[in-house]
PDB file of all heavy atoms in Angstrom:
ATOM      1  N   MET A  23     180.231  66.653 102.969  1.00 32.00           N
ATOM      2  CA  MET A  23     180.212  67.872 102.188  1.00 32.00           C
ATOM      3  C   MET A  23     181.614  68.444 102.032  1.00 32.00           C
ATOM      4  O   MET A  23     182.504  68.138 102.797  1.00 32.00           O
ATOM      5  CB  MET A  23     179.310  68.901 102.862  1.00 32.00           C
ATOM      6  CG  MET A  23     177.875  68.388 102.987  1.00 32.00           C
ATOM      7  SD  MET A  23     176.713  69.672 103.411  1.00 32.00           S
ATOM      8  CE  MET A  23     175.221  68.731 103.446  1.00 32.00           C
ATOM      9  N   LEU A  24     181.698  69.231 101.039  1.00 34.00           N
ATOM     10  CA  LEU A  24     183.019  69.774 100.761  1.00 34.00           C
ATOM     11  C   LEU A  24     183.474  70.723 101.840  1.00 34.00           C
ATOM     12  O   LEU A  24     182.690  71.475 102.393  1.00 34.00           O
ATOM     13  CB  LEU A  24     183.003  70.531  99.415  1.00 34.00           C
ATOM     14  CG  LEU A  24     182.785  69.665  98.193  1.00 34.00           C
ATOM     15  CD1 LEU A  24     182.672  70.549  96.971  1.00 34.00           C
ATOM     16  CD2 LEU A  24     183.915  68.683  98.018  1.00 34.00           C
ATOM     17  N   ILE A 185     172.929  77.528  89.685  1.00 95.00           N
ATOM     18  CA  ILE A 185     172.670  76.090  89.839  1.00 95.00           C
ATOM     19  C   ILE A 185     171.706  75.839  90.989  1.00 95.00           C
ATOM     20  O   ILE A 185     170.704  75.125  90.844  1.00 95.00           O
ATOM     21  CB  ILE A 185     173.988  75.320  90.069  1.00 95.00           C
ATOM     22  CG1 ILE A 185     174.858  75.371  88.808  1.00 95.00           C
ATOM     23  CG2 ILE A 185     173.721  73.874  90.478  1.00 95.00           C
ATOM     24  CD1 ILE A 185     176.300  74.974  89.053  1.00 95.00           C
ATOM     25  N   THR A 292     171.112  71.223 102.227  1.00 87.00           N
ATOM     26  CA  THR A 292     171.716  69.934 101.892  1.00 87.00           C
ATOM     27  C   THR A 292     171.433  69.557 100.451  1.00 87.00           C
ATOM     28  O   THR A 292     172.327  69.116  99.725  1.00 87.00           O
ATOM     29  CB  THR A 292     171.173  68.838 102.830  1.00 87.00           C
ATOM     30  OG1 THR A 292     171.526  69.152 104.173  1.00 87.00           O
ATOM     31  CG2 THR A 292     171.740  67.482 102.470  1.00 87.00           C
ATOM     32  N   GLN A 294     170.660  71.598  97.990  1.00 91.00           N
ATOM     33  CA  GLN A 294     171.379  72.532  97.126  1.00 91.00           C
ATOM     34  C   GLN A 294     172.850  72.140  97.008  1.00 91.00           C
ATOM     35  O   GLN A 294     173.434  72.173  95.920  1.00 91.00           O
ATOM     36  CB  GLN A 294     171.256  73.951  97.668  1.00 91.00           C
ATOM     37  CG  GLN A 294     169.869  74.555  97.508  1.00 91.00           C
ATOM     38  CD  GLN A 294     169.746  75.899  98.184  1.00 91.00           C
ATOM     39  OE1 GLN A 294     170.457  76.207  99.142  1.00 91.00           O
ATOM     40  NE2 GLN A 294     168.833  76.736  97.694  1.00 91.00           N
ATOM     41  N   GLU A 295     173.447  71.791  98.139  1.00 90.00           N
ATOM     42  CA  GLU A 295     174.847  71.398  98.112  1.00 90.00           C
ATOM     43  C   GLU A 295     175.042  70.135  97.292  1.00 90.00           C
ATOM     44  O   GLU A 295     176.007  70.012  96.543  1.00 90.00           O
ATOM     45  CB  GLU A 295     175.374  71.197  99.524  1.00 90.00           C
ATOM     46  CG  GLU A 295     176.858  70.888  99.561  1.00 90.00           C
ATOM     47  CD  GLU A 295     177.451  70.995 100.947  1.00 90.00           C
ATOM     48  OE1 GLU A 295     176.802  71.578 101.828  1.00 90.00           O
ATOM     49  OE2 GLU A 295     178.568  70.493 101.138  1.00 90.00           O
ATOM     50  N   GLN A 296     174.110  69.193  97.418  1.00 88.00           N
ATOM     51  CA  GLN A 296     174.209  67.970  96.630  1.00 88.00           C
ATOM     52  C   GLN A 296     174.066  68.274  95.142  1.00 88.00           C
ATOM     53  O   GLN A 296     174.766  67.685  94.308  1.00 88.00           O
ATOM     54  CB  GLN A 296     173.142  66.967  97.067  1.00 88.00           C
ATOM     55  CG  GLN A 296     173.294  65.584  96.460  1.00 88.00           C
ATOM     56  CD  GLN A 296     174.617  64.945  96.814  1.00 88.00           C
ATOM     57  OE1 GLN A 296     174.987  64.876  97.978  1.00 88.00           O
ATOM     58  NE2 GLN A 296     175.368  64.488  95.808  1.00 88.00           N
ATOM     59  N   ALA A 297     173.166  69.192  94.800  1.00 92.00           N
ATOM     60  CA  ALA A 297     173.004  69.582  93.396  1.00 92.00           C
ATOM     61  C   ALA A 297     174.292  70.186  92.853  1.00 92.00           C
ATOM     62  O   ALA A 297     174.695  69.920  91.713  1.00 92.00           O
ATOM     63  CB  ALA A 297     171.849  70.570  93.254  1.00 92.00           C
ATOM     64  N   LEU A 298     174.950  71.004  93.678  1.00 93.00           N
ATOM     65  CA  LEU A 298     176.209  71.615  93.261  1.00 93.00           C
ATOM     66  C   LEU A 298     177.292  70.556  93.085  1.00 93.00           C
ATOM     67  O   LEU A 298     178.045  70.573  92.107  1.00 93.00           O
ATOM     68  CB  LEU A 298     176.635  72.662  94.282  1.00 93.00           C
ATOM     69  CG  LEU A 298     177.857  73.510  93.948  1.00 93.00           C
ATOM     70  CD1 LEU A 298     177.653  74.269  92.643  1.00 93.00           C
ATOM     71  CD2 LEU A 298     178.156  74.471  95.091  1.00 93.00           C
ATOM     72  N   LYS A 299     177.382  69.626  94.035  1.00 92.00           N
ATOM     73  CA  LYS A 299     178.364  68.550  93.928  1.00 92.00           C
ATOM     74  C   LYS A 299     178.117  67.698  92.693  1.00 92.00           C
ATOM     75  O   LYS A 299     179.057  67.319  91.990  1.00 92.00           O
ATOM     76  CB  LYS A 299     178.313  67.669  95.184  1.00 92.00           C
ATOM     77  CG  LYS A 299     178.874  68.323  96.431  1.00 92.00           C
ATOM     78  CD  LYS A 299     178.657  67.471  97.653  1.00 92.00           C
ATOM     79  CE  LYS A 299     179.458  66.184  97.605  1.00 92.00           C
ATOM     80  NZ  LYS A 299     179.311  65.412  98.867  1.00 92.00           N
ATOM     81  N   ASN A 300     176.846  67.414  92.411  1.00 93.00           N
ATOM     82  CA  ASN A 300     176.511  66.619  91.228  1.00 93.00           C
ATOM     83  C   ASN A 300     176.895  67.360  89.948  1.00 93.00           C
ATOM     84  O   ASN A 300     177.392  66.754  88.988  1.00 93.00           O
ATOM     85  CB  ASN A 300     175.024  66.296  91.215  1.00 93.00           C
ATOM     86  CG  ASN A 300     174.625  65.321  92.308  1.00 93.00           C
ATOM     87  OD1 ASN A 300     175.474  64.651  92.894  1.00 93.00           O
ATOM     88  ND2 ASN A 300     173.334  65.238  92.602  1.00 93.00           N
ATOM     89  N   TRP A 301     176.647  68.674  89.947  1.00 96.00           N
ATOM     90  CA  TRP A 301     176.997  69.478  88.767  1.00 96.00           C
ATOM     91  C   TRP A 301     178.501  69.449  88.532  1.00 96.00           C
ATOM     92  O   TRP A 301     178.961  69.243  87.406  1.00 96.00           O
ATOM     93  CB  TRP A 301     176.514  70.920  88.960  1.00 96.00           C
ATOM     94  CG  TRP A 301     176.752  71.798  87.769  1.00 96.00           C
ATOM     95  CD1 TRP A 301     175.894  72.046  86.738  1.00 96.00           C
ATOM     96  CD2 TRP A 301     177.949  72.532  87.457  1.00 96.00           C
ATOM     97  NE1 TRP A 301     176.474  72.888  85.816  1.00 96.00           N
ATOM     98  CE2 TRP A 301     177.726  73.198  86.234  1.00 96.00           C
ATOM     99  CE3 TRP A 301     179.164  72.684  88.098  1.00 96.00           C
ATOM    100  CZ2 TRP A 301     178.702  74.005  85.636  1.00 96.00           C
ATOM    101  CZ3 TRP A 301     180.144  73.489  87.508  1.00 96.00           C
ATOM    102  CH2 TRP A 301     179.911  74.141  86.291  1.00 96.00           C
ATOM    103  N   VAL A 302     179.279  69.654  89.588  1.00 95.00           N
ATOM    104  CA  VAL A 302     180.739  69.645  89.453  1.00 95.00           C
ATOM    105  C   VAL A 302     181.222  68.277  88.989  1.00 95.00           C
ATOM    106  O   VAL A 302     182.079  68.177  88.098  1.00 95.00           O
ATOM    107  CB  VAL A 302     181.415  70.036  90.784  1.00 95.00           C
ATOM    108  CG1 VAL A 302     182.927  69.794  90.715  1.00 95.00           C
ATOM    109  CG2 VAL A 302     181.125  71.497  91.115  1.00 95.00           C
ATOM    110  N   ALA A 303     180.659  67.213  89.558  1.00 95.00           N
ATOM    111  CA  ALA A 303     181.065  65.862  89.159  1.00 95.00           C
ATOM    112  C   ALA A 303     180.762  65.620  87.688  1.00 95.00           C
ATOM    113  O   ALA A 303     181.571  65.020  86.959  1.00 95.00           O
ATOM    114  CB  ALA A 303     180.361  64.828  90.029  1.00 95.00           C
ATOM    115  N   ASP A 304     179.602  66.097  87.236  1.00 96.00           N
ATOM    116  CA  ASP A 304     179.222  65.924  85.832  1.00 96.00           C
ATOM    117  C   ASP A 304     180.159  66.704  84.913  1.00 96.00           C
ATOM    118  O   ASP A 304     180.598  66.196  83.871  1.00 96.00           O
ATOM    119  CB  ASP A 304     177.778  66.394  85.639  1.00 96.00           C
ATOM    120  CG  ASP A 304     177.305  66.222  84.206  1.00 96.00           C
ATOM    121  OD1 ASP A 304     177.262  65.065  83.748  1.00 96.00           O
ATOM    122  OD2 ASP A 304     176.972  67.232  83.547  1.00 96.00           O
TER     123      ASP A 304
END
Side-chain angles (χ1 to χ4, degrees):
M23 300 193 179
L24 293 175
I185 293 165
T292 298
Q294 289 174 334
E295 184 167 345
Q296 189 60 52
L298 186 59
K299 288 174 67 176
N300 291 344
W301 184 92
V302 170
D304 181 62

